[in-house]
Amino acid sequence: MTRLASLILMLAVALFALTAPRADADTLSSFLADLSPSDLAPGADAFGPLREDVPLAPVLSGGETVAWAFLTSDFVGTTGYSGKPIHVVAAIDPDAVLTGVQLVKHSEPIVLIGIPNSRIVALTEGYRGMDLKAEAATGGEAHDLDIISGATVTIMVIDDSLVRAGIKVARALNLGGLAPADTGAPKREIDMSQSDIRDWQTLAGDGSIRRLTLDVGQINAAFEATGDPKAIARPEKGAPDDTYIDMHAALVSVPSIGLSLLGPEEYANLTDRLQPGEHALLLLGRGEYSFKGSGYVRGGLFDRIQLIQGDDAVRWTDKQHERLRTVAAPDAPSFNELDIFTIPADSGFDPAEPFRVQLLAQRAIGAVEKTFLTFDLGYALPKHYLKPLPAAAPKVVADDTAEAAAKTALWQRIWRDRVVEIAILGVMLLTLTGIFFFQFQATANPRVFYWVRISFLTMSLFFIGWYANAQLSVVNLMALAGSLRTGFTWDAFLLDPLVFIQWFAIAAALLFWGRGAYCGWLCPFGALQELTNQIARALKVPQWEVPWGLHERLWPIKYMIFLGLFGVSLASIPLAEKLAEVEPFKTAIILKFVRDWPFVVFAVTLLVIGLFVERFYCRYLCPLGGALAIPARMRMFDWLRRYKECGSPCQTCANECPVQAIHPTGEINPNECVNCLHCQVLYQSDAKCPVVIRQLKRRAAVGKVSDDFLKKGQPAKAGQTLNP
């Protein structure tokens, strides 16, 4: 068992390594190789070597440095709707002005939905000329935010990353007189011992609660000041003194404020939810305009509000949001919206320092087009909630401990946020394990087993696929060469718990059952093919059986596709990822068919063929299935039961195998088998299996002989049968 456990662990580590991204895939040097120096600074003709202390590259003109190039994701978080970074390369001159900006890579799905990529690129390039000295002085408010309707969050991430990363670079190099921030001063801490209950008026009076109020007249005047005729032509309806929005903010992770506004029970729930280093902000609103909107329901991100402190910004997701039923303070006004937002520990937020909540006010100026304005609600925690300043501590040499701790805290928080999804996947894996270990009992009743399998496939499609977006892909495997050269860290793949758990389960399943555990049961696209084929069968759609000779020549195609993609990945991961669109998973599962028409036509065509040839894509084209079949040859057990008569003369299982994985001679090809267990249903069938039927007839004959002898009053002799 020790050797078996070691083998499972080694295979698990190998498979986990496949999901780790290449360490050099998205670096400044890799992006600069595809850019011209003049793209980042007019008249520039070369890039200098990257600095060793800061990830920057000099932009040269005639051998002189005219600007510094940087990658925004090297300095700030740039994660967008896709969950992946939006990479922008920019250059900054000695006067802290951006001389050029290039959008070099993104994976935003919303850009694929009717929004040309050229619009996003053009808007990004429009940040050329931004003065970061003014942005630092105004907290990033010295420029107008241009929004593309339908890509609000994407543009806001690009805008935020350029401003914050640019200011950090300027301060690191002391450009434009922006000196590095003083990090040596001792920080003040919240006095957690204070738990006095205060009423609403007291909290509002001392600044514990801060307020932003806009009436209809003010918002209309603000849009009129923009000079946009479309915005002016569509004023907010209502009297000028009607409330447009009345928004209040309070830092309820401070004990006294939290107990006063949430009440003891709700505050206790909050403290149980908050992890070390996290804080919570209560936002209350009333009026015609919602600070939440409805975008977070579709995309999971609140795009109308963000917290800004210094050069850092926090945007919230639905996982960091909790609704509040009522304000505990008895003299509090009534509100339409009562929401608590968690401020992550890795955001760099300091509750003792001032911050602001920025509100994005939008106005429709066409069928789908909108324009935007921003308003700030400033907040500074009253000093009486803070401990006295401690004595200055001696400076120590910085190390990587804090960064490692931050990464660990991040993936641990993600796992905690997805505990329900993890539990559901765990139940599915335990159920599947039970089916495989007790497959003879599980397949004893054909009708019950059929509905168990259909239910499991439905869960795989809707939960693992369309809900959790945890479809595995050959793209994970194509990173093998790069990860073997550069190594990988656990943090890289622990950030996606459902993918991590599936790879671990696959590592064990390959040793026990082969690739069928994933391909036949857990793969969302495989489930989609089988479920649509079952519907087609119910509608009497004719089924085409591929001749065995042709079938044998077609199934190696998927191995050729995988090996081709793997070979390309050794030279270029980005090119291999583009060629990996041979997988329809991204279109059908991740984006749910909301994509450019060629991708949709390709995915739908495969599904239509699958209506006539069950699991057509799995059989002949899937590179992921081919890749999993290669290590599956190491499996240690043959679980599927067979009779010596299987294949000679009986062909029942071979004829009914959904993916033609059984040779006419009776052998099961484990590389092609998806472990649907239909052959095990037939193995026990008293209606289809000739061996079972013959055994039942023999038993019936023995019983008839016994009855005949008993009728004559003579006992039957052992082994005696009645010859017909």
Side-chain angles (χ1 to χ4, degrees):
M1 288 304 295
T2 302
R3 184 181 178 186
L4 176 59
S6 300
L7 286 172
I8 294 176
L9 181 60
M10 290 172 61
L11 188 54
V13 170
L15 285 172
F16 292 154
L18 305 182
T19 66
R22 291 180 56 181
D24 60 346
D26 296 328
T27 62
L28 177 60
S29 58
S30 67
F31 291 127
L32 288 181
D34 298 324
L35 294 176
S36 169
S38 59
D39 292 335
L40 296 178
D45 51 27
F47 293 116
L50 266 68
R51 290 177 54 142
E52 295 183 358
D53 55 343
V54 187
L56 301 170
V59 185
L60 308 176
S61 178
E64 297 292 329
T65 300
V66 295
W68 294 91
F70 63 92
L71 180 64
T72 54
S73 51
D74 282 338
F75 294 89
V76 297
T78 62
T79 303
Y81 257 120
S82 64
K84 297 181 180 180
I86 301 173
H87 297 294
V88 177
V89 173
I92 183 173
D93 68 10
D95 198 33
V97 174
L98 295 182
T99 59
V101 182
Q102 295 288 317
L103 175 61
V104 291
K105 183 179 179 181
H106 70 83
S107 304
E108 294 296 89
I110 58 175
V111 178
L112 303 172
I113 308 172
I115 302 175
N117 191 61
S118 58
R119 290 189 64 190
I120 308 295
V121 171
L123 185 145
T124 305
E125 293 176 354
Y127 281 85
R128 175 183 295 176
M130 173 185 283
D131 187 345
L132 293 170
K133 299 187 300 298
E135 299 302 328
T138 61
E141 294 299 308
H143 69 289
D144 294 328
L145 178 62
D146 190 9
I147 293 291
I148 295 177
S149 184
T152 303
V153 173
T154 301
I155 300 305
M156 292 179 69
V157 169
I158 293 173
D159 176 89
D160 172 73
S161 64
L162 277 169
V163 172
R164 293 195 295 119
I167 292 175
K168 287 186 176 182
V169 171
R171 286 180 171 161
L173 300 180
N174 198 17
L175 302 178
L178 293 177
D182 181 14
T183 58
K187 293 184 177 181
R188 302 194 66 173
E189 297 180 356
I190 296 175
D191 185 356
M192 303 299 289
S193 65
Q194 294 188 36
S195 57
D196 298 340
I197 305 295
R198 297 177 171 88
D199 58 26
W200 179 273
Q201 292 299 328
T202 302
L203 294 172
D206 67 8
S208 302
I209 301 172
R210 300 296 175 102
R211 180 182 187 186
L212 169 67
T213 302
L214 294 170
D215 58 32
V216 171
Q218 288 174 305
I219 197 68
N220 286 337
F223 276 108
E224 288 173 5
T226 65
D228 185 345
K230 293 183 179 179
I232 297 172
R234 298 195 178 195
E236 191 72 25
K237 297 179 181 179
D241 58 352
D242 286 351
T243 300
Y244 177 72
I245 188 169
D246 184 15
M247 186 169 72
H248 296 70
L251 199 62
V252 289
S253 49
V254 176
S256 183
I257 300 176
L259 288 167
S260 301
L261 296 179
L262 307 182
E265 182 178 349
E266 191 64 40
Y267 179 73
N269 293 335
L270 174 66
T271 54
D272 288 341
R273 292 197 305 269
L274 292 180
Q275 300 303 315
E278 292 184 342
H279 293 274
L281 185 69
L282 173 65
L283 292 182
L284 307 168
R286 56 184 177 179
E288 298 297 324
Y289 190 70
S290 166
F291 62 76
K292 291 190 301 183
S294 58
Y296 75 97
V297 177
R298 301 185 303 274
L301 287 172
F302 291 89
D303 58 0
R304 294 188 180 184
I305 49 174
Q306 65 173 326
L307 183 151
I308 300 174
Q309 187 177 63
D311 300 335
D312 298 317
V314 177
R315 287 188 178 87
W316 289 291
T317 69
D318 53 359
K319 299 292 186 181
Q320 299 161 324
H321 162 253
E322 292 286 341
R323 289 188 176 90
L324 180 66
R325 290 173 296 179
T326 183
V327 178
D331 57 336
S334 59
F335 295 97
N336 299 329
E337 295 180 312
L338 304 90
D339 301 272
I340 301 173
F341 294 90
T342 300
I343 304 172
D346 58 356
S347 64
F349 176 74
D350 184 352
E353 294 297 322
F355 63 90
R356 54 196 169 95
V357 178
Q358 187 176 83
L359 172 71
L360 188 72
Q362 64 183 27
R363 173 170 291 182
I365 57 176
V368 295
E369 190 176 0
K370 297 176 182 178
T371 186
F372 302 86
L373 290 174
T374 58
F375 300 89
D376 289 339
L377 187 162
Y379 192 96
L381 189 66
K383 300 302 182 185
H384 60 78
Y385 293 114
L386 304 175
K387 293 180 180 179
L389 280 172
K395 293 184 178 180
V396 296
V397 178
D399 55 28
D400 295 332
T401 304
E403 180 67 17
K407 290 181 179 180
T408 301
L410 177 60
W411 71 256
Q412 288 177 346
R413 178 165 57 84
I414 292 174
W415 280 63
R416 286 191 295 268
D417 290 343
R418 305 193 70 179
V419 65
V420 175
E421 292 95 326
I422 293 170
I424 294 174
L425 179 60
V427 170
M428 291 180 65
L429 293 175
L430 288 174
T431 301
L432 184 59
T433 303
I435 290 174
F436 282 168
F437 271 114
F438 303 99
Q439 60 189 37
F440 193 72
Q441 292 80 6
T443 57
N445 188 314
R447 184 171 181 81
V448 171
F449 178 74
Y450 172 81
W451 286 111
V452 168
R453 177 164 171 78
I454 291 298
S455 300
F456 197 99
L457 293 175
T458 302
M459 280 292 295
S460 296
L461 174 61
F462 283 88
F463 172 70
I464 296 178
W466 285 339
Y467 174 78
N469 286 342
Q471 167 81 60
L472 303 185
S473 168
V474 73
V475 173
N476 304 137
L477 303 176
M478 289 191 306
L480 174 62
S483 59
L484 289 178
R485 289 197 303 268
T486 61
F488 68 95
T489 62
W490 293 95
D491 297 326
F493 48 88
L494 282 168
L495 293 177
D496 194 334
L498 297 191
V499 170
F500 176 91
I501 292 171
Q502 285 189 86
W503 278 118
F504 186 88
I506 290 171
L510 289 178
L511 291 177
F512 281 86
W513 300 288
R515 77 180 182 101
Y518 180 75
C519 297
W521 293 80
L522 293 168
C523 177
F525 189 76
L528 178 60
Q529 290 180 92
E530 184 163 333
L531 292 173
T532 52
N533 180 267
Q534 290 297 313
I535 295 173
R537 289 174 182 267
L539 297 175
K540 308 299 183 184
V541 174
Q543 299 296 299
W544 302 339
E545 182 175 351
V546 181
W548 179 258
L550 178 60
H551 172 69
E552 277 192 310
R553 287 161 177 79
L554 289 178
W555 62 253
I557 294 176
K558 59 179 174 288
Y559 299 97
M560 299 178 188
I561 294 174
F562 167 69
L563 293 175
L565 290 173
F566 185 79
V568 172
S569 71
L570 297 179
S572 173
I573 287 288
L575 177 58
E577 288 179 349
K578 291 180 181 179
L579 296 177
E581 289 290 354
V582 69
E583 287 184 331
F585 305 158
K586 183 177 181 180
T587 300
I589 304 300
I590 305 301
L591 298 178
K592 305 174 184 66
F593 297 99
V594 183
R595 205 177 183 194
D596 290 342
W597 69 267
F599 298 100
V600 176
V601 169
F602 175 65
V604 171
T605 299
L606 293 175
L607 290 174
V608 169
I609 297 175
L611 299 179
F612 303 91
V613 181
E614 184 170 348
R615 284 183 176 258
F616 172 82
Y617 178 78
C618 296
R619 295 197 207 185
Y620 307 124
L621 299 177
C622 182
L624 177 61
L628 293 179
I630 295 173
R633 299 186 68 87
M634 298 188 305
R635 77 191 188 286
M636 304 171 65
F637 307 100
D638 288 322
W639 295 84
L640 301 178
R641 300 189 182 192
R642 309 292 287 155
Y643 295 112
K644 63 180 176 22
E645 293 89 349
C646 292
S648 178
C650 180
Q651 295 291 318
T652 302
C653 291
N655 292 333
E656 292 197 20
C657 178
V659 293
Q660 293 181 257
I662 302 178
H663 290 259
T665 52
E667 301 91 353
I668 296 176
N669 185 342
N671 290 345
E672 303 306 308
C673 177
V674 295
N675 282 71
C676 67
L677 302 184
H678 182 64
C679 59
Q680 301 306 286
V681 173
L682 296 176
Y683 184 89
Q684 306 178 71
S685 175
D686 57 5
K688 291 186 177 182
C689 180
V691 177
V692 175
I693 294 172
R694 186 167 59 251
Q695 290 175 346
L696 292 176
K697 287 182 177 180
R698 184 180 297 115
R699 292 171 187 168
V702 171
K704 187 174 186 302
V705 170
S706 298
D707 290 342
D708 289 344
F709 274 94
L710 289 173
K711 289 178 181 178
K712 296 177 181 179
Q714 301 177 15
K717 296 180 180 180
Q720 185 170 2
T721 59
L722 177 65
N723 295 321

